[in-house]
Amino acid sequence: MSNSNHKFNSGAFFDKIFRNSTMFFAFVVFSVIFAIMATLVVSSLPALKAFGAGFFFSDTWNPVTIQFGGLVPIYGTLVTAAIAMVIGIPVSFGIAMFITELCPNWLKRPLGVAIELLAGIPSIIYGMWGLFVFAPLFADYGQPWINDHLGSLPFIGVIFAGPTMGIGMLTAGIILAIMVIPFTSSVMRDVFEVVPPLLKESAYGLGATTWEVLKNIVLPYTKIGVVGGIMLGLGRALGETMAVTFVIGNAHELSASLLMPGNTISSALANEFTEAVGDVYTSSLITLGLTLFIITFIVLACAKLLLIKLAAQEGKQS
Amino acid sequence: MQLLNRTLKCTLAAVSFTVATSAFAVDITGAGATFPYPIYAKWAESYNVKTGVKLNYQSIGSGGGIKQITNKTVDFGASDKPLKQDELDKAGLMQFPTVVGGVVPVVNIPGIEDGVLKLNGEVLANIFLKKVTKWSDASIKALNPGVDLPDSAITVVHRSDGSGTTFVFANYLTKVSPEWNDKVGADTSIQWPTGIGGKGNEGVASYVQRVKGSIGYVEFAYAKQNALPFVTLQNKEGEFVKPSIQSFQSAAQYADWKNAPGFYEILTNEPGKATWPIAGATFILLQKSQDKPENGKEVLKFFNWAYANGGLMAKGLDYVPMPADVVKLIQAHWKANLKAADGSVIAAE
């Protein structure tokens, strides 16, 4: 009796330690995020005082006259990430579908390993490959084609017309897509694989085709994981620094054409932070960092809202 | 087990050895300009062989050099943009020049060889101002009769990071183009009217290599290393000159160091028939009052040695070394300005 009581007590004791320590770790995350946020806000005050809200809508970036505006890098960040998503999501989806549903068994493992290897390549390697291999080929074959076939379209033509330099916003977006695909597709593959075979088999038994099984069984079952994988990819695309710096052209210039050079928040920071002389210059760069922080937060919040909406619909259907 | 033991012992011995040697010599740290990096690296290597003193130089760019020495995180800073006397006083710094080098415009136009393309300051400024946008432009053709210039667009390549090379280049353009002076100006970072940005001299060189129809500017050593076709420029006297150590030397001799307070001297657009118009000295920045006098002393020793023994190495990399009389001025400047925290003079004899 006393023995089991003792055991019970020690169990409760360790439970308490366990709970408190895990709670402590969770709050460490909170305080770190809060500290980062506070530092960014305090350090960006000089720039915000000097330029006000106009900072976010101005495309000047002139260190000589100390006039700064964040529109070009903010625009560049959003556009390159959007290009990466437009290309990356369907491709990742296709890869994950092929591996889990259609791929012959002997090919599954090598393909899976290859994707994980791609995810492990450091971003600077993607950047160097983009600059040395992809950009020259793209300038000679890809961009002239885009110019000829898409550049002459009404309205959207200006987006695809421009000099064929090989580097620019579109190149950066494509490189980002290639970097995002392994992450997104391996998350998607993992969640597709946990769909109980029983569910799929019963659908097949009712005469469903592979596509119908995917659309009606696999996707609804895994939507949270799929959205999570896309968000992971989007997060990487928004914050990627080195690879983008290599191929985007690093120009503080606003242009409608995707073939023109541009800038992203992280590439501007990578290029200019060590060199920024004076309070307002440094502070403007930190304000850009704060903006990236806020953009990421908004994106994550939207993802969460989307998931909540999806969950609510599920309740209505059943 | 024995093997493990032996490995452990070896590692321990190696660790204690490194600790011992590093405790023996004072290592010096510097950071800044990328423009003189090749020569500082070479000097540091030879100096280390000779004396065992290690110099750790980070080529992070001139702006970074000024920032680091102002914050006292390094023993010396390096910049290609000299600071004016009042800026020096404000930060408690002193500066002195080490070598003179040249910035050269480089091009990638299919069919155009080294030095064939001739430009003058005004046309060069107009290209960088986005006013001249084609290689077949009348103003370029007028300077290059008989050269087959393609009808292709010009892509301007500039630095994306702040840089002393940019300062020297832009400073030259302010002197040859009133419009550049009004609209853009000169600094280590500027608002470029057009073009793509590469990080570092290497970044600009590799963009120019890869983008057809491009023009950029790099420190001479990088143009040579990458075998990039450079441009022949018209200087102040109207002569067309190719970049070379002789033409940099010709620019350097017009520097009046004696009458330049705080050695503030910019060598762009100097007179002289053989002068390359975009030359510049590169500078070392030191805290006037040294918190760690031993480190300050080591820095001076290093540059003293470099002035005395590094001339040939500098010439080998196409930098112009400081003439002996200027070195004397610099040494006197050290004695007069560099003090330990207690006020004693640091400069060695």
Side-chain angles (χ1 to χ4, degrees):
Chain A
M1 177 67 194
S2 73
N3 195 12
S4 81
N5 203 2
H6 172 75
K7 252 187 195 161
F8 174 77
N9 277 342
S10 82
F13 176 67
F14 282 115
D15 249 14
K16 209 172 168 187
I17 289 188
F18 182 65
R19 190 190 338 185
N20 285 332
S21 55
T22 48
M23 193 169 76
F24 170 74
F25 294 140
F27 274 91
V28 166
V29 173
F30 258 122
S31 45
V32 166
I33 289 201
F34 183 76
I36 292 175
M37 192 82 189
T39 320
L40 284 176
V41 169
V42 169
S43 314
S44 54
L45 281 180
L48 291 174
K49 254 185 216 150
F51 310 118
F55 179 84
F56 302 101
F57 306 105
S58 153
D59 66 344
T60 27
W61 191 268
N62 193 338
V64 181
T65 57
I66 320 185
Q67 289 294 320
F68 299 100
L71 186 63
V72 176
I74 293 170
Y75 172 77
T77 306
L78 296 177
V79 168
T80 50
I83 297 170
M85 289 297 108
V86 166
I87 302 170
I89 293 174
V91 174
S92 312
F93 192 67
I95 292 173
M97 255 179 3
F98 179 75
I99 290 181
T100 49
E101 303 298 327
L102 305 164
C103 181
N105 256 331
W106 58 269
L107 196 60
K108 263 191 186 181
R109 275 185 66 104
L111 261 184
V113 171
I115 288 172
E116 264 142 36
L117 271 178
L118 268 184
I121 293 175
S123 60
I124 190 147
I125 307 284
Y126 281 102
M128 283 161 66
W129 176 81
L131 178 61
F132 294 126
V133 182
F134 181 77
L137 288 174
F138 196 49
D140 287 344
Y141 304 107
Q143 290 185 333
W145 186 91
I146 292 173
N147 254 332
D148 293 346
H149 292 84
L150 302 173
S152 53
L153 294 176
F155 302 115
I156 60 164
V158 281
I159 302 176
F160 299 107
T164 54
M165 297 182 293
I167 48 180
M169 305 251 270
L170 185 58
T171 312
I174 293 173
I175 298 291
L176 278 178
I178 298 172
M179 295 177 66
V180 158
I181 284 167
F183 278 89
T184 316
S185 63
S186 78
V187 171
M188 282 186 183
R189 184 200 62 180
D190 288 348
V191 294
F192 285 177
E193 261 170 5
V194 298
V195 177
L198 202 66
L199 280 181
K200 290 196 275 186
E201 276 159 19
S202 29
Y204 280 122
L206 289 172
T209 61
T210 314
W211 171 241
E212 282 167 340
V213 169
L214 268 164
K215 204 179 96 192
N216 299 320
I217 309 291
V218 176
L219 267 187
Y221 194 86
T222 57
K223 66 191 168 218
I224 293 182
V226 169
V227 173
I230 291 172
M231 285 304 134
L232 196 66
L234 182 55
R236 179 156 202 203
L238 283 172
E240 177 47 43
T241 311
M242 278 330 291
V244 173
T245 309
F246 268 77
V247 296
I248 198 166
N250 304 305
H252 280 283
E253 220 181 326
L254 204 60
S255 51
S257 170
L258 292 180
L259 303 189
M260 291 294 279
N263 218 338
T264 69
I265 291 175
S266 17
S267 72
L269 289 177
N271 272 310
E272 294 171 41
F273 206 79
T274 50
E275 285 283 335
V277 186
D279 287 345
V280 177
Y281 194 174
T282 316
S283 169
S284 299
L285 286 168
I286 292 172
T287 312
L288 282 183
L290 178 68
T291 315
L292 185 59
F293 199 88
I294 294 168
I295 290 175
T296 319
F297 181 80
I298 293 174
V299 164
L300 287 178
C302 287
K304 198 79 210 169
L305 279 178
L306 182 73
L307 286 176
I308 292 171
K309 221 173 162 190
L310 283 175
Q313 272 175 359
E314 204 168 60
K316 262 181 228 154
Q317 273 169 2
S318 56
Chain B
M1 194 60 216
Q2 219 181 0
L3 184 76
L4 185 76
N5 247 329
R6 213 180 301 157
T7 332
L8 262 178
K9 264 185 203 153
C10 280
T11 326
L12 271 180
V15 168
S16 55
F17 180 71
T18 1
V19 170
T21 44
S22 63
F24 170 67
V26 181
D27 289 349
I28 37 185
T29 56
T34 53
F35 177 90
Y37 174 68
I39 183 61
Y40 289 173
K42 189 143 203 192
W43 281 346
E45 197 193 320
S46 317
Y47 191 65
N48 183 252
V49 169
K50 208 139 209 172
T51 60
V53 175
K54 254 175 101 179
L55 170 75
N56 175 10
Y57 182 74
Q58 308 274 333
S59 64
I60 54 170
S62 298
I66 296 169
K67 216 163 139 179
Q68 299 270 351
I69 187 64
T70 311
N71 295 338
K72 300 188 187 177
T73 46
V74 285
D75 297 326
F76 69 89
S79 170
D80 307 323
K81 179 197 171 188
L83 295 182
K84 293 198 177 110
Q85 189 64 53
D86 57 321
E87 292 172 304
L88 287 171
D89 292 341
K90 217 175 110 195
L93 299 174
M94 59 161 286
Q95 73 186 356
F96 57 90
T98 52
V99 287
V100 170
V103 177
V104 291
V106 286
V107 290
N108 175 357
I109 314 169
I112 301 278
E113 304 280 311
D114 229 9
V116 169
L117 188 75
K118 288 180 183 165
L119 293 177
N120 62 21
E122 193 195 342
V123 174
L124 187 66
N126 284 344
I127 290 174
F128 277 81
L129 278 167
K130 213 181 177 176
K131 280 170 74 188
V132 171
T133 56
K134 290 228 151 148
W135 285 114
S136 54
D137 193 276
S139 62
I140 303 179
K141 272 191 169 156
L143 290 168
N144 294 279
V147 179
D148 189 20
L149 288 161
D151 188 34
S152 60
I154 300 176
T155 302
V156 165
V157 182
H158 54 72
R159 290 283 289 267
S160 60
D161 49 342
S163 155
T165 314
T166 299
F167 170 75
V168 173
F169 184 72
N171 177 274
Y172 167 66
L173 294 184
T174 59
K175 288 183 180 168
V176 292
S177 160
E179 194 176 343
W180 182 275
N181 194 25
D182 291 346
K183 276 193 186 159
V184 187
D187 208 332
T188 53
S189 301
I190 55 180
Q191 182 162 32
W192 294 97
T194 179
I196 53 179
K199 195 163 164 54
N201 273 303
E202 318 81 56
V204 172
S206 83
Y207 274 169
V208 171
Q209 263 172 330
R210 264 154 205 91
V211 179
K212 283 187 194 106
S214 59
I215 181 167
Y217 60 91
V218 289
E219 199 277 315
F220 189 46
Y222 292 89
K224 273 175 104 180
Q225 248 167 47
N226 293 290
L228 286 166
F230 50 75
V231 168
T232 300
L233 268 183
Q234 193 174 29
N235 64 18
K236 208 176 181 179
E237 317 258 329
E239 300 286 326
F240 283 97
V241 188
K242 290 193 164 87
S244 67
I245 184 151
Q246 287 81 20
S247 60
F248 302 157
Q249 196 130 35
S250 167
Q253 72 186 23
Y254 288 94
D256 183 13
W257 296 111
K258 208 172 258 173
N259 297 316
F263 291 109
Y264 184 88
E265 183 81 21
I266 297 163
L267 296 173
T268 54
N269 212 24
E270 292 284 347
K273 276 197 174 349
T275 296
W276 177 252
I278 326 179
T282 181
F283 299 83
I284 295 296
L285 296 161
L286 286 173
Q287 284 283 346
K288 266 184 168 175
S289 164
Q290 293 281 323
D291 296 337
K292 286 182 272 177
E294 321 81 61
N295 290 33
K297 203 169 213 164
E298 283 300 333
V299 173
L300 294 191
K301 268 192 194 160
F302 172 76
F303 284 106
N304 233 345
W305 173 88
Y307 285 136
N309 306 294
L312 266 181
M313 282 180 250
K315 278 183 184 159
L317 291 167
D318 297 293
Y319 295 95
V320 182
M322 287 292 136
D325 54 326
V326 178
V327 171
K328 279 205 185 99
L329 277 178
I330 294 169
Q331 284 162 337
H333 193 70
W334 287 345
K335 254 186 204 160
N337 286 294
L338 208 65
K339 303 271 156 65
D342 60 5
S344 58
V345 177
I346 289 178
E349 290 310 309

